[in-house]
Amino acid sequence: MRNAFAATLTELATADERVVLLSGDIGNRLFDPYKQACPGRFLNCGVAEANMTGMAAGMAMEGLRPFTYTITPFATLRAMEQIRDDICYPRLPVVIVGTGSGLSYASLGPTHHSCEDIAMLRSLPGMTVVCPADRAEVTAALPEILAHDGPVYLRLGKKGEPDIHEALPAFEIGKSITLRPGHEICIVAAGPIVTLGLDAAAILADAGISCRVESFHTVKPLDTACLGEVFQQCQIVATLEEHSTIGGLGGAVAEWRAERPRLRGQLERFGTDDRFFTQAGSQAFLREAAGLTAEAIAHRLLAAHTLLPEPC
Amino acid sequence: MTASPPDDCCQIAARLRMDVVQLSHEARTPHLASCLSCIDILTAVYFGGLEIDADTIHEPDRDLFILSKGHAATALYAALTRRGLWSLETLASYNTDGSLLPEHPSPGKLPGIEAATGSLGHGLPIALGRQLARRIQGTPGRAVVLLSDGECQEGSVWEAAMVAAAQRMGTLAVIVDANAWQATARTAELADNTTLVGKWRAFGWRAVEIDGHDCAAVADALRAVPRDCQLAAHPQQPLAIVAHTVKGKGVSFMEDDNNWHYRVPTANEVLLAATELGVTPDPLLARHAVEAAS
């Protein structure tokens, strides 16, 4: 995903002289083509994320379109007040890019995990939160993000995520992408973990249950048209994310669902628990520890489906 | 009102001091002593030191002034008003319901407010970003940031200081309003500030120490900041002006008395201040006529 980000941003910056890329001492070789194409519009800000974020705000005030880029917790939590006061309060078009989100950097330990960022960023007034599922969605999303007149948080994985789309999807901020049709259960997923949703849907299909899967790439603003449809049509709607169930996509959908008691679908949320992952391990190991495997998801959804009341 | 320091400086500064005393009283808002300590600095900034006026305030190559110590907002508001950028009616609306002037500056609503500040340590990174953007765009202009000495405890100040020096941002300057107090204590009791000049130098800046109540000296220091540092003849190091000041300056019973960080003057104290300043309160700023009489 980060390679798709670097390549697409290089194209966009070549065509648009307002684009400027600020990096927090990361991605040096990754951005070599960018630096060649746009000398003077790459700035390695060093290990000083609060300053990088404040500088990005200042650059946007002067009409530039800054992207700040570093590992997710440093791009977001570390500079949270600068994001709120300097970027969101004046509603400036700065794009905050977090790389290695969720448990992408599992083996680096909890300081490099990021399971709280969506909750924090989406609470900021005027902030848009985009979590692409694969490199095609990154490539398709970036021109829309650049055209967006306001702050955006772009949540990336790292590299080597499975491709979900064969071609570039039509991408609209706030409009979910249907990956698989179905009508009994719907899994709405934010980010690359949607692949587990697709695998779980296949398992459910083998059990005779029709399961729809959505790449719900924008957590804010929520695609409420899509939610209204799936909660009306399906008996179970499940959220899936590599993020805490507190405040992330699951939290956002739960807030929305709670105010609509007449909707049919019941909500199941899949994400990380209220804990740190203190054991060393790979992303797959930590996902499993969190109950985030296709089998575990399908099993829980099957159980929930079995317990549903008979239609009268 | 226009001025060329030093002759008219004192009169302008006295008017600004009267304004902030009145506004504190009328709106019942704190931070009066923090405003008074930087009045001479603001006078220097707006009346001779920088090129900021109503005609050029929207020009891309204007000089930028950012009040990073946002709690001195009424000092900024009064200076922008007396410089002719705002009406007195706007100033009089300070902190009333629905006004554009809260107790800390809000962004994008009125000319001359170049950044929303209030949380300390934000102004310098923003100013540095603006100067980097203007360098990319080939736009000249200075940027000057006013910090408090207590604010220099914020790490983001020094993050920005390191990057500004590495970027050789000679068009950028900070003024530290070194009044030696912060909200609840002597600044030096909480964090060493005996070597502020040395700190800025150690971070790669030029640094000078001046009397922050010598308006002409502040203006001279600001005029020496180049609007364009691409020319070899111009200094490429950013400049730190450590301006020694007295908190509460200009009103004897407020000077160096930290109670006035939060205290609000009574009607009688407003009149006492007026007598000392030799300026009459501006009737257009009066709000609580009935309360003031009590």
Side-chain angles (χ1 to χ4, degrees):
Chain A
M1 289 179 95
R2 64 190 185 204
N3 292 331
F5 169 76
T8 309
L9 191 69
T10 303
E11 277 180 37
L12 292 172
T14 305
D16 187 339
E17 290 193 341
R18 299 173 306 162
V19 174
V20 55
L21 175 58
L22 308 184
S23 147
D25 196 25
I26 187 179
N28 234 8
R29 275 168 45 209
L30 177 68
F31 294 122
D32 278 350
Y34 176 102
K35 285 184 271 186
Q36 265 189 333
C38 310
R41 284 189 283 136
F42 174 85
L43 187 61
N44 187 341
C45 299
V47 199
E49 297 80 9
N51 177 57
M52 174 169 75
T53 306
M55 287 203 312
M59 290 177 148
M61 288 174 190
E62 295 294 329
L64 298 184
R65 291 297 184 119
F67 287 69
T68 63
Y69 179 92
T70 188
I71 298 176
T72 301
F74 317 144
T76 56
L77 277 66
R78 178 83 181 202
M80 192 65 192
E81 194 186 68
Q82 279 73 21
I83 296 172
R84 189 191 73 145
D85 289 5
D86 303 350
I87 294 173
C88 291
Y89 181 19
R91 207 181 166 82
L92 292 169
V94 174
V95 183
I96 294 128
V97 186
T99 188
S101 304
L103 301 171
S104 301
Y105 286 134
S107 62
L108 295 181
T111 55
H112 287 57
H113 301 166
S114 186
C115 296
E116 313 83 9
D117 52 303
I118 295 176
M120 295 183 69
L121 275 285
R122 83 176 179 87
S123 72
L124 298 177
M127 178 63 85
T128 293
V129 178
V130 178
C131 312
D134 69 352
R135 54 185 181 166
E137 285 193 13
V138 173
T139 300
L142 272 169
E144 302 304 310
I145 287 171
L146 179 58
H148 182 72
D149 186 24
V152 177
Y153 171 45
L154 176 61
R155 187 184 204 247
L156 302 180
K158 50 175 186 181
K159 63 175 181 178
E161 290 84 4
D163 284 328
I164 292 152
H165 300 280
E166 288 173 9
L168 280 195
F171 192 98
E172 193 182 325
I173 291 172
K175 188 148 180 26
S176 176
I177 299 172
T178 304
L179 299 179
R180 177 189 174 112
H183 62 271
E184 289 175 274
I185 293 177
C186 178
I187 298 173
V188 297
I193 201 166
V194 72
T195 53
L196 297 190
L198 288 166
D199 293 345
I203 296 171
L204 290 168
D206 289 343
I209 296 170
S210 163
C211 181
R212 175 170 167 175
V213 179
E214 292 283 323
S215 174
F216 211 83
H217 52 69
T218 308
V219 177
K220 187 184 176 188
L222 282 176
D223 183 349
T224 54
C226 172
L227 290 178
E229 183 185 316
V230 299
F231 271 98
Q232 201 61 54
Q233 187 181 71
C234 303
Q235 294 151 300
I236 298 171
V237 177
T239 59
L240 173 60
E241 62 200 308
E242 205 168 83
H243 182 280
S244 172
T245 50
I246 298 173
L249 173 64
V253 172
E255 289 165 10
W256 180 88
R257 173 73 180 81
E259 292 176 340
R260 288 159 185 82
R262 288 195 182 81
L263 285 176
R264 175 186 185 210
Q266 77 176 44
L267 174 63
E268 294 281 335
R269 295 185 298 157
F270 293 90
T272 58
D273 297 328
D274 188 24
R275 59 174 283 200
F276 288 104
F277 294 90
T278 51
Q279 282 182 299
S282 66
Q283 185 175 17
F285 175 80
L286 293 191
R287 277 183 175 182
E288 189 169 356
L292 296 173
T293 64
E295 293 72 22
I297 292 165
H299 184 79
R300 207 175 112 189
L301 288 174
L302 267 173
H305 191 261
T306 309
L307 291 173
L308 287 171
E310 290 294 319
C312 44
Chain B
M1 188 183 285
T2 57
S4 52
D7 298 343
D8 299 337
C9 253
C10 294
Q11 286 177 20
I12 295 168
R15 169 52 64 195
L16 296 182
R17 285 197 161 90
M18 191 69 250
D19 287 345
V20 298
V21 169
Q22 266 190 281
L23 289 168
S24 172
H25 169 73
E26 297 290 348
R28 306 288 191 261
T29 57
H31 301 131
L32 176 53
S34 308
C35 293
L36 289 170
S37 76
C38 65
I39 288 291
D40 298 302
I41 294 168
L42 289 178
T43 305
V45 164
Y46 286 103
F47 299 89
L50 295 185
E51 294 173 27
I52 300 173
D53 57 46
D55 294 335
T56 59
I57 194 61
H58 297 294
E59 295 297 322
D61 65 347
R62 68 186 180 276
D63 285 341
L64 303 173
F65 174 75
I66 292 178
L67 180 78
S68 196
K69 49 171 285 185
H71 55 287
T74 56
L76 175 68
Y77 298 165
L80 289 168
T81 302
R82 299 299 177 183
R83 189 72 182 95
L85 274 77
W86 302 352
S87 69
L88 264 169
E89 288 71 25
T90 298
L91 183 63
S93 75
Y94 167 63
N95 209 32
T96 55
D97 290 346
S99 158
L100 298 177
L101 302 181
E103 285 183 50
H104 296 92
S106 68
K109 297 281 173 32
L110 286 167
I113 297 186
E114 302 286 7
T117 52
S119 177
L120 297 172
H122 286 245
L124 186 54
I126 291 172
L128 176 57
R130 294 186 71 156
Q131 291 307 82
L132 285 162
R134 298 210 287 183
R135 175 185 284 173
I136 289 169
Q137 294 163 330
T139 307
R142 305 177 186 94
V144 173
V145 180
L146 181 61
L147 307 170
S148 72
D149 49 356
E151 182 177 9
C152 291
Q153 290 158 14
E154 292 283 6
S156 53
V157 170
W158 302 103
E159 288 187 8
M162 282 187 275
V163 176
Q167 289 291 329
R168 307 182 67 75
M169 192 52 77
T171 58
L172 177 67
V174 303
I175 306 171
V176 182
D177 178 6
N179 62 32
W181 282 105
Q182 53 198 90
T184 63
R186 281 277 181 200
T187 305
E189 289 171 9
L190 307 190
D192 173 70
N193 73 342
T194 55
T195 57
L196 263 180
V197 168
K199 281 194 179 71
W200 288 98
R201 287 187 184 138
F203 278 75
W205 289 50
R206 294 183 295 141
V208 295
E209 241 171 323
I210 60 175
D211 173 0
H213 300 303
D214 183 344
C215 196
V218 177
D220 283 345
L222 292 177
R223 277 193 296 266
V225 176
R227 280 177 50 81
D228 187 336
C229 67
Q230 301 304 312
L231 300 172
H234 289 147
Q236 298 190 336
Q237 280 175 295
L239 173 68
I241 301 166
V242 176
H244 293 287
T245 56
V246 175
K247 197 163 177 175
K249 175 73 176 180
V251 181
S252 62
F253 54 92
M254 297 181 189
E255 287 191 358
D256 211 35
D257 176 357
N258 211 34
N259 286 312
W260 289 95
H261 188 89
Y262 290 118
R263 255 203 71 182
V264 171
T266 63
N268 193 44
E269 285 165 338
V270 172
L271 295 177
L272 284 173
T275 306
E276 288 194 13
L277 292 166
V279 181
T280 51
D282 195 320
L284 286 175
L285 297 182
R287 189 181 306 169
H288 304 283
V290 177
E291 295 167 55
S294 63

